[in-house]
Amino acid sequence: MKMHIEIDKQRLKQEIDTLAAFSDAVPPAVTRVVFSEQDLRARTWLKQRYVASSLSVREDAVGNTFIRWEGSHPDLPAVATGSHIDAIPHSGKFDGVVGVLGGLEAVRALQRSGFRPVRSIELVQFTAEEPTRFGIGCIGSRLMSGVLPASVDQTLQDSSVETLEVVRTRAGFGGDLASVRLPEGYYSAFLELHIEQGPVLEREHVTIGIVTDIAAPASFLVTLEGQGGHAGGTLMPGRRDALCAASELILAIEGLACSSGAVDTVATVGTCEVHPSAINSIPSRVKLGVDLRDTDGERRNRVLDAIKNAAEQISQTRQIQIQMEMLNADPPASSSPRVLRAITSACSEMEVASRQIVSRAYHDSLFMSRIAPTSMIFIPCRSGVSHRPDEYADIDDIAVGVEVLARSLAELSCDLTWTN
Ligand SMILES: [Zn+2]
């Protein structure tokens, strides 16, 4: 599509800096947990930006925010983009934000260019992409796509043992959680602009990554119960040390991920709580938090089964009770060929270097792909660093990503051949 599009880099950079200041951490670190006071202040500030651009704003019962630019055929399924603004403790200012403020700038750039959408264009600001508060990620997009039932309103709790229902209602988002679900065919396409959170684009001096697949994530808790005792008084024979058993399991998990037959299998034991955690006491109980991912969902499940078997064996040989509690086990997602084509042709119009890439982190797009043809646009981030205060993306790269997004949205907005 022949169009002259200019991205207002200076304003976008200022907006990214301003949003980063809504934070509970000392700069440059950012902490913005969903439904915290800073999150709510950030939402209010963003809403003012949306309204100032003559866009309509709708919020659903969990606080997902839909910013709409009405097309000439408002009855047709809209084209959508979006990402999240919540930030894990002591992280950076680009993860998620680039897709929200970049999405807004894409819309504004199209407005300035004189473009008029045929299908409406929507920007979605998702609630709780990060698992920080409720232990599970992508709550907003899981509810939208029907992956989570409305009953999580009562079952999900934060560390203060307050339910999602209590927390969201206090934040001003009331109503039935079942109403968050979008009907299939609500969107004709969904695209998410995001930093890569990996080193590939920077290493290869490529500005745009066109995401073909999103790896399948799974996470689970393992509780090991043994027998405590005095570290001096209890002799080694017959001990049932829960931490020694956990150590065996941790190494087994690493080994099973390494021997899956593919480099795409990754497993991480990221948390380990030891009870009673005293230097002169035998650990009686250990709780591990495990993250397992793969681009191939079946291979991921085979490794998961092998981990269960290893736990069973360790349980028998060490006389330790081992329980596993799955937090999530989602299938992988493949991008829509139609959306990939739109992104690819935007890159060639702009003569910008691009390559296809797999997303190893998961995003709201993983769940949006259940209800809409979906893909993602990646831009480089310095040294592949993310979820750290020194996370950094160059404004020139961000601007290229925003223009690719704008052109893709414009093309998909004018495609009337889709009837869904
Ligand atoms: Zn993100």
Side-chain angles (χ1 to χ4, degrees), residues 151-179:
S151 57
V152 295
D153 220 10
Q154 277 78 43
T155 53
L156 288 180
Q157 294 182 334
D158 65 8
S159 58
S160 317
V161 205
E162 288 192 304
T163 62
L164 174 59
E165 182 178 31
V166 167
V167 175
R168 72 179 172 97
T169 306
R170 191 171 54 224
F173 303 106
D176 186 353
L177 218 49
S179 65

Side-chain angles (χ1 to χ4, degrees), residues 109-407:
L110 286 173
Q111 288 175 333
R112 289 193 298 268
S113 78
F115 173 79
R116 292 287 168 264
V118 179
R119 296 173 183 273
S120 301
I121 295 178
E122 283 198 0
L123 169 64
V124 187
Q125 184 188 299
F126 292 97
T127 284
E129 194 269 347
E130 302 289 2
T132 312
R133 185 152 192 171
F134 294 102
I136 180 169
C138 297
I139 293 176
S141 53
R142 282 179 196 269
L143 285 165
M144 270 185 186
S145 57
V147 173
L148 275 184
S151 57
V152 295
D153 220 10
Q154 277 78 43
T155 53
L156 288 180
Q157 294 182 334
D158 65 8
S159 58
S160 317
V161 205
E162 288 192 304
T163 62
L164 174 59
E165 182 178 31
V166 167
V167 175
R168 72 179 172 97
T169 306
R170 191 171 54 224
F173 303 106
D176 186 353
L177 218 49
S179 65
V180 173
R181 185 166 185 174
L182 294 179
E184 192 141 349
Y186 185 82
Y187 288 131
S188 65
F190 180 83
L191 299 92
E192 181 171 3
L193 173 65
H194 206 282
I195 56 170
E196 182 198 339
Q197 304 183 291
V200 177
L201 296 176
E202 183 185 63
R203 197 173 57 213
E204 297 187 359
H205 305 288
V206 171
T207 312
I208 295 294
I210 304 173
V211 175
T212 54
D213 298 272
I214 303 176
S219 59
F220 53 95
L221 299 174
V222 186
T223 307
L224 302 96
E225 291 267 8
Q227 196 163 42
H230 195 286
T234 316
L235 295 177
M236 297 310 285
R239 277 198 189 191
R240 293 167 56 218
D241 184 322
L243 185 56
C244 290
S247 311
E248 265 192 52
L249 183 59
I250 291 169
L251 292 176
I253 290 170
E254 184 192 39
L256 289 165
C258 290
S259 59
S260 79
V263 292
D264 294 318
T265 316
V266 287
T268 308
V269 181
T271 63
C272 177
E273 291 167 32
V274 181
H275 181 83
S277 204
I279 196 168
N280 56 355
S281 182
I282 299 168
S284 61
R285 189 174 67 246
V286 172
K287 205 171 194 179
L288 304 176
V290 190
D291 181 296
L292 171 65
R293 306 176 193 218
D294 204 316
T295 48
D296 181 328
E298 283 172 25
R299 188 170 54 217
R300 196 270 321 271
N301 290 343
R302 281 199 298 278
V303 173
L304 186 57
D305 288 341
I307 292 172
K308 286 176 184 163
N309 288 338
E312 180 64 31
Q313 267 181 7
I314 294 165
S315 162
Q316 281 174 12
T317 51
R318 286 188 170 267
Q319 294 296 298
I320 301 280
Q321 277 184 12
I322 303 184
Q323 276 190 338
M324 280 174 64
E325 182 198 340
M326 291 306 298
L327 297 175
N328 68 291
D330 301 293
S334 290
S335 290
S336 144
R338 175 67 188 94
V339 181
L340 286 176
R341 215 163 55 235
I343 301 170
T344 308
S345 68
C347 289
S348 46
E349 277 163 24
M350 293 165 59
E351 296 177 6
V352 56
S354 68
R355 60 158 281 165
Q356 296 199 331
I357 194 167
V358 168
S359 174
R360 296 178 190 284
Y362 70 90
H363 304 278
D364 292 303
S365 289
L366 180 65
F367 302 99
M368 293 308 287
S369 74
R370 307 270 193 109
I371 52 167
T374 294
S375 183
M376 297 185 72
I377 301 164
F378 275 0
I379 56 161
C381 55
R382 191 173 59 198
S383 310
V385 164
S386 183
H387 283 190
R388 272 175 28 185
D390 55 341
E391 178 183 274
Y392 179 78
D394 192 281
I395 188 64
D396 290 331
D397 291 338
I398 296 173
V400 172
V402 171
E403 185 173 341
V404 171
L405 175 65
R407 289 180 180 278

